[in-house]
Every structure is written in C-alpha cells, then in structure tokens.
Amino acid sequence: MTKEYKQKKIAAIHDLSGYGRCSLTVAIPVISALKVQCCPVPTSILSNHTGFSTCFFDDYTDKMPLYLEQWKKLNLDFDGIFTGFLGSADQIEIVSDMIRDFKTANTLVIIDPIMGDDGNTYQTYTKEMCSRMKTLVESGDIVTPNLTEACILTGRQYRQENWTRKELTDMAEDIISMGPHSAVITGVREGAFITNVVARKSSKVQFVRTLKAGRNRPGTGDVFSSIIAAQAVKGVPLQKSVKTATDFVKQSILVSDQLNVPTENGVCFEEILSLLIRQ
C-alpha cells in the first residue's frame, strides 16, 4: 500500500541567476530551510542578475511547456505553486496554463507579481504584460506585490511615501476584490519605518512594520515571498509569516552591511539561515 506523502512540495517558477542572490538561488535554500521541498521551473538562465553591468541570458520560454509536459505525464502534484519574475507575455500565459493543469483543491497559488519598483516598471515589462499579470493575480490565493506593483494592479498613481492607512487599506482591498484570498503589499515607507500591509477576505487589514535598516538590496523581495510561500503551505497564519519574513529580511540586510558586501550581491541570508531552520 502506498504511504501518504507527508512532506510539503512547492513548484517555484523563477529565473535562475548564477550570481547575485535572487530568484531561484534564493527560493530553493529559503524554502528548503523551512522544510518544504522546492521544485524549480526555470523561466530563463542568467550568469548573474541584470543589476550588474553585463550578463549572459538564455530564455526558456520555448522549453517551459516541454518541461511541464513531463510533470503532467508523471502525474505530479504540489501543495503550492509559487510564481516570481516572468520575462514575457508568453510566459505569463504558460504559467496560467500550469496553474489550471496542476492546481487542486489542496494547492495554494502564491503570486509575486514582479513588475517594477520605485514607481517604475522594469524595462522588459510592457503594458500588455502588466494587463496579463492582473489576470494571473486573479488566479492566486496569496499575492505579494510591492507598493509599485500594487499601484500598477489597482491603477493608482505611485508616490514614494505619505500614504494614509485608509489609502493603503483601500488599495489592499481592491487587490483582494480581484480574486485572491490574501494580499501583502510590501515595502511601504512610513517615516523611519517600513510597513507591510496584510489583507485577507472578511478580515480587518493589518499593518506589520519595522524600523528601516541598512541599504536597499536586490533579492529581498524574493526572500520575503519565499518565506510567505513555504509557511503558507505549512498552514502558518499569514500575519505570523509576514512578521517572520520581515524580521528575516531586516537581519539579512544588517548582516550584509556588516560584512561590507556590495549591494548588487544581494543579501547574505546564508549567514542566518539557521533562524529559519529553527522555525
């Protein structure tokens, strides 16, 4: 008789950057540290992330359907489907198809709608891609946009700070109304604090904030959303996982600054990964 498979599994859809600590090189160790199996679906292969002056890039769009077809033949199932950076409108469609094919009643879909930061969309993102990302968000159970992405999703004008709690609540609730059960708007500046807005259907919006520390670094959003995804499939309450992710990202930034690591190298989360292992 087949024994029940008791370890949780997440399919993580991201690019693989060999150097710089982002995407899959963050998701795999962070999710694994939280005792969840991470099954990568690469969207592209890069020698290093695009924040460096040069990089090798190999697009996997044409390979993704062939890759996923083998998983379908094997009748694989997952407790979570976790999406990160998607490089084209075609990739967004492929991921939408994957969610349709692999989602069951017991599968959580976590969407990190990576489109931009600091009020600007990334160079690769077109208006069509932003529109299709809204459709992808509708199929998510949990979405984790930063403030820029939340503004894009809800059609609001971005501003760096001076948001009222009422405005943030309305924005989060607008995202919930698109279809997800939960939303976390990350990286809202409130004076000396960084605030994350936590919204769930039929619940009061909550605010988790921490004192801003250290320099801004790439990959922190990937660390944050990976913790949210892993803890979600383990049944950890969302506000608790947001607190865990917030504290871990902050400590990773502080350690990275103490070690004088260049900002483009991301955060040295490896130095404190034991904190997650003990969760």
Side-chain angles (χ1 to χ4, degrees), residues 28-43:
I28 293 172
V30 167
I31 291 171
S32 299
L34 289 164
K35 303 175 180 63
V36 176
Q37 181 185 2
C38 185
C39 307
V41 181
T43 61

Side-chain angles (χ1 to χ4, degrees), residues 57-69:
F57 173 82
D58 188 16
D59 183 8
Y60 263 48
T61 301
D62 292 341
K63 302 176 183 69
M64 289 173 67
L66 302 173
Y67 185 106
L68 293 169
E69 184 61 30

Side-chain angles (χ1 to χ4, degrees), residues 52 118 160 216:
F52 291 89
D118 294 325
Q160 190 175 74
N216 293 332

Side-chain angles (χ1 to χ4, degrees), residues 75-95:
N75 294 315
L76 300 185
D77 61 87
F78 301 93
D79 301 282
I81 298 172
F82 170 38
T83 78
F85 181 78
L86 302 174
S88 67
D90 287 343
Q91 287 191 356
I92 296 174
E93 290 303 308
I94 292 168
V95 172

